Amino acid sequence: MNYPRTTASQPRFLLSSIAVAAMLLAQGASAQDAATQRVEVTGSSIKRLATENALPLTTYKAEELANQGLTTMTEIAVALTVATTNEPVGGGGGGTMINMRGLNTNRTLVLLNGRRLANEALGASSVNVDVIPMAAIERVEVLRDGASALYGTDAIAGVVNFITKKAVQDVTLHASTVQPEKSGGGQQKRVTIVAGKGDMATDGWNVYTAFSAQRRDSLLQRDRPGIWDPDKLASLGGTPFTANTSGGSASPANFTIYRNGRPANITGNPYFASGCVAPGLPQTTVPSTRTNANGANTCITDPSIYPELLPENQQVTLFTKAALAHGDGKIFSVELNLSRSYIDAISGPQPFGNNTDYDRLTASRRPLMITSASPWYPGGSGGVPAVAGLNGEDLALTWSLDELGAVKLHDVQTNHRFVIADEGQVRGWDYRVGASYGYSHRESGFKENFVRTPGVYAGVANGILNPFGAQDAAGREYLASISADGQNFREADVRYYGADFNLSRTLMDLPGGALGIAVGGDWHRETFAETATMIGDEVVWRVSGTPGNSPSGQRKVAGLYVELDAPVTRQLDLNFALRGDHFSDFGDTYNPKASFRYQPVKALMVRGTVSKGFRAPTLPELYGTPRTLQPSTSSWDDPLLCPSATPNVAGSGTLTTDPRFAGLGLDAERVCNTRLTTLVGANPDLQPEKSKTYTIGFVIEPVKNFVATIDFWKIDMEKTIAQINEDSIFDNLDRYQDLFVRNPDGTLQYITKTRLNMGGLKTQGIDLSLNYSLPTANWGRFGFSMDGTYTDKYEGQNDEGSPWVDSVGRIGALATGSTSANTYIFKWKHQARVNWSYGAFFAQLTQQYSSTYEDTNALPTQQPGQPFYNVIAPYRVYNLATTYKVTPKFKIGLGVNNLFDHDPPLSNQRLSSRVVFAQNIAKPIGRAFTARADYTF
């Protein structure tokens, strides 16, 4: 497919804003004084003037983030144009992980005050930024190139460093709310208090605490009907809900007659004739209009009732910092960060029967049977209506426990971090030393309306449970006795122990200034332990992990680095860094980095970097859930024994007639349209990834108050670690033949689905930043800024030597395993801002934009030129934020997010669940009004 040129797809807002900025430039403006304080910036251990930085670094101040209408860490992460970060929606419990350059969340290094945090305990070993104390943040620095030479070998995609306030001497109260215009849910509320005391200059000490609590309410799909509109769903290739749709579990239960131990393909429901209304049960079903024997006279659950677009979410953080001056300019500090976050995700009521798994370890399915001995058998003593033609045969049921209501999963994350540090000068050296401890705990469990599957089967068999109507007192008591509510099915802990030091000073004078040197090192130990309890084998529904397993692992890493900064002339500065690391499980690695800064004239600076990276597999990738054989997630045709011209469409194959397999006695039910055996779990044989990163950039200041930066970047990786999903395997059988492991007779042993070292990855593009301000004598100050990323290439190999496939603008990016929606690489993504400040008033209009891309299009009918082929159009959202300083101590703000109420584009990412908006670029809440107030005393 030919993609439209980026310039052709840019919104009028951006073009007109640039034109306005150009006209304003002609009027001239006064210069701003450059900062003269030497500071340490992300990406270097040598202090320098901020204007001397040779690295592609972007800084966002806390006030700037608020002016963009960003109120949570999730919104900050998603707004970064250099990232393809998905917001956790639809019950995603892992939190918010930053995914720079689309290289996976565990290739982006997230720091708090320049030091690491403990990773989220489950998933892909990434930092959940929801645990970072937003109330204490002073600025966010985003380093857009590799930083393995200084911070650690895994900073391949870049670094995001959240920096807190150095000191606070007053008390500030903050309250904010986001209220969607449409009813139904999605409201957000946030309160914070930041209080401190002590003046470092006069008292020699400071202590402050920042507390923040925020909550987002659940939003159900039925409250945004445009997202599940039947006509729109059909236009994407989905199956809209009608009374003729194939049924599943229902309340009251559907039945299939069994004769001689086998289904007779005769179905029914005792309440079909009464419109599927059973006494005492909520009305969640409608009568089926299907007329074939298998599906006739049944009830169908309305799928619009239960799906959730945004789960209930809450975070609480507490950050405390104490600093004490001692000696001559030395500062000793202590930091404590405590956080807790949870996501409560709603799903439909728990289903039972041979269309759902009975246990998780084997993923086996067995019929849920009721016999004529039960009082609840149709026509029996319990009062369930008789069904004509039913003569006491055993019945297999498909039952949904709608009487209990929707189930709710509880996902809780707890994160602690303690840091002690000291910095200052000694014998001409700037020094920094510190030690830290981090703890991350995550637990996933059953909160509401879960019951044990074996107990349900036993209760129906012995006549205690009524699958066709409301339970009597004995049934209700029995359901309570087999409840799983309040129990966790999966828990995990990550602990981080670290120590670091850094020494820097100037050595000698060079023609351009003083030669600077920094030496440093760090050591850390990380442990990982997970427990998946056997309750997950009894409940099964919505359970992750492998019950009965308790994987664990640990790693120690020690590193030393040296950095030299040489101002060769006043125009040319060279920087070199080298880091050596020793891994307790992967040995030694050395990673250099070199950068330059050349400024021939004041209006132009040229900068560039080159570096190497090395990422060892994470502990969960190596030592997580042990490799086990499990049935595939979906049903498939064995491509050898049940070949098909369309192998990605289950049921399209036919049993092979190849004489080589004539003596195997093949059964079509075992090799056609069935769940094949797969190998899943961790892979202790994984090898490290290696990378090379290149950047070259220009900083242009043609007139006063206008700065433009253009940075070209290129990242090459080899032996990338990724996980292949089943759809990709069966869409590209020729490419993935090696993943099919067969016995000598040709029968399938298993399909490999573990994480693997695959081929290489090459991605490159351009980052663009524009900043202009115009102060006027009578009309205040006007400003325009924009940050954008253009990705020219994102090519990957599925294995070494295989063809390179470009994924820009289409699905196929490196699998992350930690996001709740598919990851796409956009050709162009930007955020543009126009603002105006006049006295105590400030207003800013922000546009977030992402370019067109191909949708998932996984079905054969969803290909170019075929029906239902979907392309997501360019998507843009405008946020308006205003602030007014009523007094020097009291500030209020009002705003509108999604100002023009732009609907989220519909996508075929998740047609089966009917959650069909493009969750990687849009929110489902629509236009929302924001209000905030800050009071300082």
Side-chain angles (χ1 to χ4, degrees), residues 88-92 216-219 308-313 343-345:
V89 297
R216 182 188 65 198
D217 293 339
S218 168
L219 176 64
E308 187 176 43
L309 297 177
L310 292 175
E312 181 183 321
N313 176 276
I343 294 178
D344 282 353

Side-chain angles (χ1 to χ4, degrees), residues 674-736:
T674 188
R675 302 175 81 188
L676 304 176
T677 302
T678 63
L679 180 68
V680 299
N683 186 354
D685 299 324
L686 290 173
Q687 296 300 309
E689 301 171 332
K690 295 183 179 180
S691 68
K692 295 179 181 178
T693 301
Y694 312 87
T695 70
I696 183 74
F698 304 88
V699 181
I700 306 169
E701 192 174 357
V703 295
K704 295 175 181 179
N705 288 344
F706 175 72
V707 178
T709 65
I710 303 172
D711 290 286
F712 168 81
W713 50 269
K714 175 179 171 64
I715 303 173
D716 294 340
M717 297 177 59
E718 58 184 47
K719 295 186 177 181
T720 54
I721 298 171
Q723 184 166 1
I724 297 297
N725 59 42
E726 293 173 12
D727 288 335
S728 296
I729 293 173
F730 282 88
D731 282 343
N732 303 276
L733 282 180
D734 291 341
R735 188 183 305 163
Y736 296 126

Side-chain angles (χ1 to χ4, degrees), residues 376-534:
W376 309 113
Y377 192 87
S381 62
V384 176
V387 177
L390 191 59
N391 299 312
E393 295 102 333
D394 292 349
L395 304 178
L397 308 175
T398 53
W399 182 27
S400 177
L401 261 176
D402 290 38
E403 181 179 5
L404 292 181
V407 298
K408 182 179 287 188
L409 285 170
H410 197 49
D411 195 289
V412 183
Q413 293 191 48
T414 303
N415 193 287
H416 305 327
R417 182 174 182 262
F418 180 71
V419 178
I420 57 174
D422 196 70
E423 60 181 295
Q425 285 190 339
V426 59
R427 297 184 180 275
W429 289 83
D430 292 322
Y431 75 89
R432 184 189 70 242
V433 62
S436 63
Y437 167 73
Y439 170 72
S440 176
H441 176 83
R442 180 177 169 191
E443 56 190 46
S444 297
F446 309 114
K447 187 169 185 179
E448 293 180 7
N449 303 329
F450 282 94
V451 292
R452 293 170 169 83
T453 301
V456 169
Y457 275 62
V460 171
N462 60 28
I464 297 178
L465 293 180
N466 175 15
F468 300 115
Q471 306 304 315
D472 59 14
R476 292 192 295 271
E477 183 178 351
Y478 181 78
L479 284 177
S481 71
I482 62 173
S483 172
D485 293 349
Q487 297 199 42
N488 293 326
F489 58 81
R490 195 177 185 192
E491 295 187 45
D493 289 316
V494 167
R495 298 179 188 272
Y496 177 90
Y497 310 84
D500 62 86
F501 76 93
N502 175 264
L503 298 170
S504 64
R505 66 169 298 165
T506 58
L507 294 179
M508 57 182 292
D509 288 333
L510 296 177
L515 174 66
I517 184 172
V519 294
D522 51 65
W523 171 92
H524 73 262
R525 177 175 180 262
E526 184 178 9
T527 66
F528 156 79
E530 178 187 336
T531 300
T533 65
M534 290 305 296

Side-chain angles (χ1 to χ4, degrees), residues 259-393:
R259 292 173 180 165
N260 300 319
R262 295 183 66 86
N265 292 329
I266 301 175
T267 59
N269 192 296
Y271 288 96
F272 173 79
S274 62
C276 293
V277 178
L281 290 182
Q283 182 61 36
T284 59
T285 57
V286 296
S288 172
T289 58
R290 294 171 69 89
T291 57
N292 59 315
N294 189 10
N297 302 319
T298 60
C299 300
I300 300 176
T301 299
D302 185 344
S304 68
I305 295 176
Y306 297 110
E308 187 176 43
L309 297 177
L310 292 175
E312 181 183 321
N313 176 276
Q314 180 171 310
Q315 293 100 33
V316 178
T317 60
L318 176 68
F319 179 82
T320 297
K321 181 176 181 179
L324 175 66
H326 65 96
D328 185 12
K330 301 179 179 67
I331 298 176
F332 174 78
S333 62
V334 177
E335 295 178 13
L336 175 65
N337 185 49
L338 307 175
S339 67
R340 186 174 179 85
S341 64
Y342 76 77
I343 294 178
D344 282 353
I346 293 174
S347 294
Q350 201 171 343
F352 302 93
N354 61 0
N355 61 334
T356 54
D357 290 343
Y358 181 84
D359 64 67
R360 183 171 178 81
L361 291 177
T362 63
S364 61
R365 297 181 174 183
R366 63 180 70 175
L368 171 62
M369 304 300 297
I370 188 171
T371 69
S372 57
S374 170
W376 309 113
Y377 192 87
S381 62
V384 176
V387 177
L390 191 59
N391 299 312
E393 295 102 333

